[in-house]
Amino acid sequence: MKVLIIGSNGQLGNDLVRVFDRDDLYPLTHQEIEITDFSRTKNIIEKFMPEVIINTAAFHNVPECEKKPERAFLVNSIGVKNLADICRANNITLVYISTDYVFDGKKNSPYNEDDTPNPLNVYGISKLAGEFLAKRTEKHYIIRVASLFGVSGCRAKGGGNFVKTMLNFAKTKESIQVTSNIICSPTYTLDAAKKIREILDEGFPYGIYHVTNSGSCSWYEFAVEIFNQIGANIKVERRIENEEIAGVKRPLYSALTSKKIKPLRHWKEALKAYLKEEKI
Ligand SMILES: NC(=O)c1ccc[n+]([C@@H]2O[C@H](COP(=O)([O-])OP(=O)(O)OC[C@H]3O[C@@H](n4cnc5c(N)ncnc54)[C@H](OP(=O)(O)O)[C@@H]3O)[C@@H](O)[C@H]2O)c1
């Protein structure tokens, strides 16, 4: 398969490159492609002529999206429209990575692919607009992921992720407070990347897929499990957040599940594998 990966040095992109390494692979970093620039993006894509494009690129620092909505919509929506139009014209399959933040959290049980999105903030709205724009080409997969952790860390979060932050706290702090009323689906990027590969290899029907590790937890429970698995001696206290954190509304509940794919392994198993990969 000829696969072009956009955001190849990102947290998910890095693991996608590993998973597709035996394919005819074109990994592109932001230095090599700017998806908001239609004509240059078109030239690059038509030079490689891949069969599949996987777009992980996003402007996804949530408070920054609130401050710079034009940029959020330019990257997360118009950038996807550019890719969809180029894909449609060249018969390329588009894989667009979306988010649990398209939901409002009011359901209070895991969201599946049939649930109706209702994003609460600029980031979520711009990503949902990206989903609609990805549908401009028939051959599309919209893959919603959530609460990612992977070895390379999230570039939009300064190369970190929640697990890396907790590992650092285990070394530097005696006690911490962690939010206990926000529920998420922690997801190992290597597991997500393997599932994306399977969806493509097996020729699943085009459409929306929720790709997360199984199970869900609060950030507090996630932190406690990390410290238990590494045997850290740190006191963890619960903190309660409002729906609005630092002026930005977020869903208090955004666990995902899938009606369409076999469940991935439980997040606690995935965490174990991740910590092994981090050599901890
Ligand atoms: N991280 C999470 O917890 C999470 C949760 C739910 C959904 N998601 C979604 O998952 C995807 C991947 O997340 P991630 O954690 O792997 O993010 P990441 O580490 O920040 O990677 C994003 C990649 O896209 C590149 N990029 C950004 N803007 C671009 C543009 N305009 N044109 C071309 N490339 C661009 C970035 O390059 P530079 O850094 O050099 O700009 C980076 O290589 C995103 O679409 C995000 O919305 C993430």
Side-chain angles (χ1 to χ4, degrees), residues 9 11-12 30 33-35 56-57 60 123 127 148 155-156:
N9 59 347
Q11 182 168 231
L12 178 60
H30 200 173
I33 192 166
E34 170 52 68
I35 61 166
T56 73
H60 63 121
Y123 168 61
K127 291 291 284 190
L148 297 178
R155 286 179 64 83

Side-chain angles (χ1 to χ4, degrees), residues 6-14 28-31 33-36 55-60 71 75-76 96-101 123 127 144-149 152-157 189:
I6 299 174
S8 61
N9 59 347
Q11 182 168 231
L12 178 60
N14 182 61
L28 298 179
T29 66
H30 200 173
Q31 284 194 318
I33 192 166
E34 170 52 68
I35 61 166
T36 63
N55 176 39
T56 73
F59 185 63
H60 63 121
R71 180 78 194 153
V75 179
N76 300 339
Y96 168 56
I97 307 299
S98 190
T99 173
D100 53 330
Y101 268 39
Y123 168 61
K127 291 291 284 190
R144 295 190 186 129
V145 298
S147 309
L148 297 178
F149 55 94
S152 80
C154 176
R155 286 179 64 83
K157 294 173 190 159
T189 46

Side-chain angles (χ1 to χ4, degrees), residues 21 78 87 100 116 120 139 178 182 199 229 260 274 279:
D21 72 336
I78 303 298
C87 285
D100 53 330
T116 307
L120 299 177
K139 293 169 72 176
V178 184
I182 299 185
I199 288 169
Q229 287 199 17
K260 296 179 164 179
Y274 170 81
K279 298 191 175 52

Side-chain angles (χ1 to χ4, degrees), residues 1-271:
M1 194 160 35
K2 284 177 88 173
V3 185
L4 188 147
I5 296 175
I6 299 174
S8 61
N9 59 347
Q11 182 168 231
L12 178 60
N14 182 61
D15 280 332
L16 284 165
V17 169
R18 291 164 68 194
V19 163
F20 285 94
D21 72 336
R22 291 208 193 96
D23 292 76
D24 203 350
L25 188 63
Y26 308 106
L28 298 179
T29 66
H30 200 173
Q31 284 194 318
E32 294 159 316
I33 192 166
E34 170 52 68
I35 61 166
T36 63
D37 181 336
F38 179 81
S39 58
R40 290 180 67 183
T41 297
K42 182 171 180 289
N43 286 344
I44 293 167
I45 290 171
E46 290 181 353
K47 191 173 100 197
F48 293 121
M49 267 312 178
E51 294 163 81
V52 177
I53 293 177
I54 307 178
N55 176 39
T56 73
F59 185 63
H60 63 121
N61 179 311
V62 176
E64 283 297 303
C65 287
E66 219 62 26
K67 285 185 210 147
K68 298 175 189 159
E70 293 85 359
R71 180 78 194 153
F73 280 94
L74 187 60
V75 179
N76 300 339
S77 318
I78 303 298
V80 183
K81 175 197 174 289
N82 290 343
L83 295 173
D85 289 351
I86 297 163
C87 285
R88 189 182 54 210
N90 292 286
N91 195 30
I92 298 166
T93 298
L94 176 63
V95 180
Y96 168 56
I97 307 299
S98 190
T99 173
D100 53 330
Y101 268 39
V102 297
F103 295 112
D104 63 14
K106 304 283 187 279
K107 187 182 174 196
N108 275 317
S109 63
Y111 286 96
N112 65 54
E113 292 90 346
D114 292 339
D115 286 315
T116 307
N118 182 33
L120 299 177
N121 53 40
V122 169
Y123 168 61
I125 297 167
S126 65
K127 291 291 284 190
L128 182 61
E131 291 191 5
F132 281 113
L133 291 163
K135 293 180 190 171
R136 285 164 71 90
T137 184
E138 203 186 316
K139 293 169 72 176
H140 66 263
Y141 293 103
I142 293 162
I143 310 277
R144 295 190 186 129
V145 298
S147 309
L148 297 178
F149 55 94
V151 275
S152 80
C154 176
R155 286 179 64 83
K157 294 173 190 159
N161 60 43
F162 184 78
V163 187
K164 286 181 192 282
T165 304
M166 293 305 122
L167 294 175
N168 186 35
F169 285 164
K171 285 189 211 141
T172 55
K173 293 191 186 281
E174 286 178 0
S175 77
I176 54 165
Q177 286 193 333
V178 184
T179 310
S180 59
N181 64 329
I182 299 185
I183 309 296
C184 62
S185 290
T187 299
Y188 183 23
T189 46
L190 187 58
D191 288 358
K194 285 179 183 163
K195 185 55 79 174
I196 292 166
R197 167 148 211 164
E198 187 187 321
I199 288 169
L200 286 164
D201 278 352
E202 308 280 319
F204 282 36
Y206 299 118
I208 298 177
Y209 291 86
H210 288 183
V211 174
T212 59
N213 283 117
S214 301
S216 59
C217 61
S218 69
W219 292 103
Y220 167 85
E221 291 163 326
F222 192 12
V224 168
E225 181 63 22
I226 294 165
F227 297 135
N228 282 344
Q229 287 199 17
I230 64 171
N233 187 17
I234 176 169
K235 191 171 163 206
V236 191
E237 290 172 354
R238 294 166 193 268
R239 192 178 64 217
I240 302 293
E241 298 281 4
N242 296 320
E243 195 181 60
E244 200 164 309
I245 303 172
V248 187
K249 274 193 179 176
R250 293 168 188 258
L252 292 178
Y253 186 100
S254 65
L256 302 184
T257 187
S258 179
K259 281 179 119 178
K260 296 179 164 179
I261 56 170
K262 273 197 242 137
L264 278 71
R265 63 181 156 177
H266 195 272
W267 66 265
K268 289 186 184 177
E269 290 303 310
L271 175 65

